[in-house]
Amino acid sequence: MLATLPFSLNFVHPLLMGLLLAMGGYAMFLGIKTKKVRTGTAEQRKALLPGKFAQRHYFWGSMLLALMVFGSLGGMAVTYLNNGKLFVGPHLLVGLAMTGMIAGAASLSPLMQRGNVIARKVHVGLNMGMLTLFLWQVVSGLQIVNKIWTNS
Ligand code: HEM
Ligand code: HEM
């Protein structure tokens, strides 16, 4: 490890990603409510409308997108600074795939707002897949944390 890099910097990415997992769960909850507002019975819709779920979903989804982009680039930066290279392993590749998936899904926002059904299905499919990969990413991520911890 390069002596100039503070050891605590290694934990910024894991901690941020733990927070993002919770945020992802919340964004999913808001997205499912958004669908209920769109497809529910007149009574259900009336009850849910004041919750402004679509706006809140868009807001938290956007925050998740931004933090995931910088969080995964940050993880790569720290790995590079520590080792002078990147390890092309599952954590890197799945992390990049997840970041691409959420970015692609987010770019469908204008189409979804125009009521495009295909865009909606693709959006939900990409993001649900991304959240599933997230669970797996926690496992490989914690293995890396363990390695950094025991090698220090
Ligand atoms: C955790 C990741 C996410 C999940 C699980 C998710 C899920 C969903 C679901 C279930 C819907 C409702 C689809 C329907 O009405 O049939 C939806 C709609 C939508 N999502 Fe996401 N989403 C996620 C992230 C994002 C992100 C990152 C953005 C944009 C930055 C975003 C923007 C939108 C928009 C604009 C809509 C349409 C809302 C409307 O009907 O006005 N979502 N999403
Ligand atoms: C709680 C879950 C996660 C943990 C514990 C974790 C942990 C780590 C650790 C310890 C590193 C080494 C770099 C450093 O010392 O900071 C790393 C690197 C990285 N992480 Fe994560 N991570 C998690 C989730 C994610 C997610 C969700 C993504 C992408 C969306 C991601 C993408 C990356 C990338 C691209 C690297 C650089 C390549 C590599 O070192 O393999 N990580 N992660």
Side-chain angles (χ1 to χ4, degrees):
M1 190 189 291
L2 299 179
T4 46
L5 200 65
F7 187 60
S8 55
L9 199 63
N10 286 309
F11 302 98
V12 174
H13 168 88
L15 288 174
L16 174 68
M17 289 308 181
L19 184 80
L20 288 201
L21 181 61
M23 220 187 208
Y26 185 55
M28 177 175 73
F29 162 78
L30 294 173
I32 292 168
K33 288 281 182 195
T34 303
K35 180 171 182 182
K36 196 87 191 160
V37 172
R38 196 170 55 77
T39 59
T41 61
E43 220 166 83
Q44 285 172 329
R45 298 173 54 146
K46 201 170 158 206
L48 288 172
L49 265 181
K52 292 188 184 293
F53 288 107
Q55 287 96 317
R56 281 159 68 200
H57 173 72
Y58 201 178
F59 175 80
W60 285 105
S62 299
M63 293 301 111
L64 181 66
L65 167 67
L67 291 175
M68 187 167 281
V69 168
F70 294 124
S72 65
L73 293 178
M76 290 171 71
V78 176
T79 300
Y80 188 76
L81 289 172
N82 274 334
N83 307 286
K85 61 178 177 184
L86 289 173
F87 302 100
V88 184
H91 193 78
L92 172 64
L93 296 175
V94 171
L96 290 179
M98 288 174 63
T99 308
M101 284 163 91
I102 194 175
S107 75
L108 297 170
S109 297
L111 282 178
M112 284 191 286
Q113 286 176 332
R114 271 189 236 159
N116 187 304
V117 181
I118 297 171
R120 264 200 198 116
K121 299 282 176 210
V122 174
H123 174 83
V124 177
L126 280 172
N127 278 329
M128 292 295 182
M130 185 278 294
L131 285 181
T132 310
L133 288 176
F134 208 141
L135 299 177
W136 188 85
Q137 192 76 343
V138 172
V139 178
S140 62
L142 287 177
Q143 283 167 350
I144 305 176
V145 172
N146 197 29
K147 215 180 277 171
I148 293 171
W149 196 255
T150 49
N151 287 346
S152 66

